[in-house]
Amino acid sequence: MKPGSSLFIDFEMKFKYEIEGGNFSKAGNASSAVKKILKQLNVPPSIIKKLVVALYEGEVNVVAHAWNGCIRVDIETDRIFVSIEDEGPGIPDIAQAMQEGFSTASQAVREMGFGAGMGLPNMKKNADVLDIRSDVGKGTVVEITTFLKKQE
Amino acid sequence: MVVEDIVKALKLNVFGGNEGLLREVTGGYVSDLLSDVMGNALEGDIWATLQTHKNVMAVASLKDVAAVILVKGLKPDEDMLAQANEEGIPVLGSDLETFELAGRLYALINKE
């Protein structure tokens, strides 16, 4: 890192947040908490902005589709690793779910301005690495990696 | 230009989040799809929408938009307003339809 650059993480931190399926009044609380922590740690704003988009979309997906879930955030020296794990219906066809505009959201959820089929594409655009695994009828694990230093 | 300048120029209602009236406005965004705003709005944008629920404030705060404008005389839900006051992000209102409001906002912000 260049001298004088603001990033100053020489330790590892882990956080965990629970997400309630169906409870839109709390959607975004975990993302907001993570954003505050990253700001306090002087993570560059450009990295926070990207991660927050991916994280919020992941959080809303759990609220909109799953029964419950949790977000784990590992802040490491060279990367931020987020795992969003839920118990829920799972995703039968992940490639289809990744397509812009594809959505299985309910009418009620769409009327709120969610469920336009932009969530997963937004996550892909804003994560350095996005990994999704799903077991139909059991749940889904979404992993987002954001590198803190440019990869060689 | 700050939020308050736009409030005065367009005669907007201020529903809440007054603490943020001096936030700097650098652009605008118009959308009712929250993921679209998440993906494309920029920090400092003033965001016009017809959505009046609390999740609007979650998105507004995560994206650091300057303020939210509700169109067509719509009013914020109680929990949206509470969140706006807590975050200090102004929630404004206009009786104009989105098309007309967006036109006036564009003219105003681009005059700078």
Side-chain angles (χ1 to χ4, degrees):
Chain A
M1 299 222 66
K2 288 185 304 217
S5 77
S6 59
L7 189 54
F8 200 68
I9 300 176
D10 57 359
F11 48 89
E12 297 190 2
M13 296 174 89
K14 286 181 193 293
F15 303 93
K16 187 182 169 189
Y17 303 91
E18 303 290 333
I19 315 170
E20 274 175 56
N23 189 349
F24 274 95
S25 76
K26 289 188 181 171
N29 286 6
S31 303
S32 174
V34 173
K35 183 184 170 190
K36 283 197 186 107
I37 288 168
L38 297 180
K39 265 187 156 170
Q40 282 165 4
L41 293 173
N42 280 330
V43 172
S46 60
I47 288 178
I48 298 180
K49 283 191 175 108
K50 280 174 62 182
L51 184 60
V52 156
V53 174
L55 191 58
Y56 179 74
E57 296 291 2
E59 186 177 354
V60 166
N61 277 346
V62 173
V63 175
H65 298 284
W67 307 312
N68 63 73
C70 74
I71 296 183
R72 287 190 183 81
V73 181
D74 293 357
I75 302 171
E76 300 168 5
T77 49
D78 57 348
R79 65 171 199 167
I80 300 170
F81 178 77
V82 177
S83 144
I84 306 170
E85 192 168 349
D86 72 49
E87 292 180 327
I91 306 171
D93 184 342
I94 292 173
Q96 188 181 36
M98 291 304 297
Q99 286 171 22
E100 190 126 16
F102 180 82
S103 176
T104 58
S106 69
Q107 190 57 32
V109 167
R110 286 173 204 243
E111 278 169 14
M112 292 172 80
F114 294 112
M118 302 172 86
L120 286 172
N122 262 355
M123 290 171 81
K124 184 149 183 72
K125 271 179 231 159
N126 287 284
D128 289 330
V129 181
L130 178 68
D131 187 36
I132 304 176
R133 300 186 299 277
S134 193
D135 247 341
V136 172
K138 287 188 176 170
T140 302
V141 181
V142 175
E143 292 174 346
I144 300 160
T145 307
T146 302
F147 298 113
L148 294 171
K149 294 171 188 168
K150 281 235 164 71
Q151 295 301 291
E152 299 302 323
Chain B
M1 182 179 293
V2 297
V3 175
E4 200 169 38
D5 299 328
I6 292 177
V7 168
K8 282 181 189 151
L10 301 183
K11 298 188 175 63
L12 303 175
N13 291 324
V14 179
F15 292 116
N18 300 51
E19 216 178 281
L21 285 171
L22 295 178
R23 288 162 79 104
E24 188 75 25
V25 179
T26 47
Y29 202 74
V30 177
S31 183
D32 305 317
L33 294 178
L34 302 193
S35 283
D36 179 40
V37 177
M38 266 327 276
N40 300 297
L42 299 175
E43 180 176 354
D45 277 352
I46 195 157
W47 170 22
T49 182
L50 52 68
Q51 299 287 357
T52 58
H53 54 86
K54 189 186 174 193
N55 298 90
V56 170
M57 295 322 297
V59 172
S61 156
L62 288 169
K63 294 297 287 189
D64 291 312
V65 302
V68 176
I69 308 182
L70 303 181
V71 296
K72 297 197 298 184
L74 292 163
K75 293 183 173 61
D77 295 353
E78 233 169 79
D79 54 359
M80 176 177 172
L81 195 55
Q83 184 89 15
N85 287 329
E86 198 180 309
E87 306 263 3
I89 301 174
V91 174
L92 315 169
S94 169
D95 288 332
L96 298 176
E97 289 189 5
T98 311
F99 179 71
E100 198 173 344
L101 177 75
R104 291 192 191 188
L105 269 177
Y106 185 87
L108 198 60
I109 293 169
N110 278 274
K111 219 166 52 181
E112 286 262 297

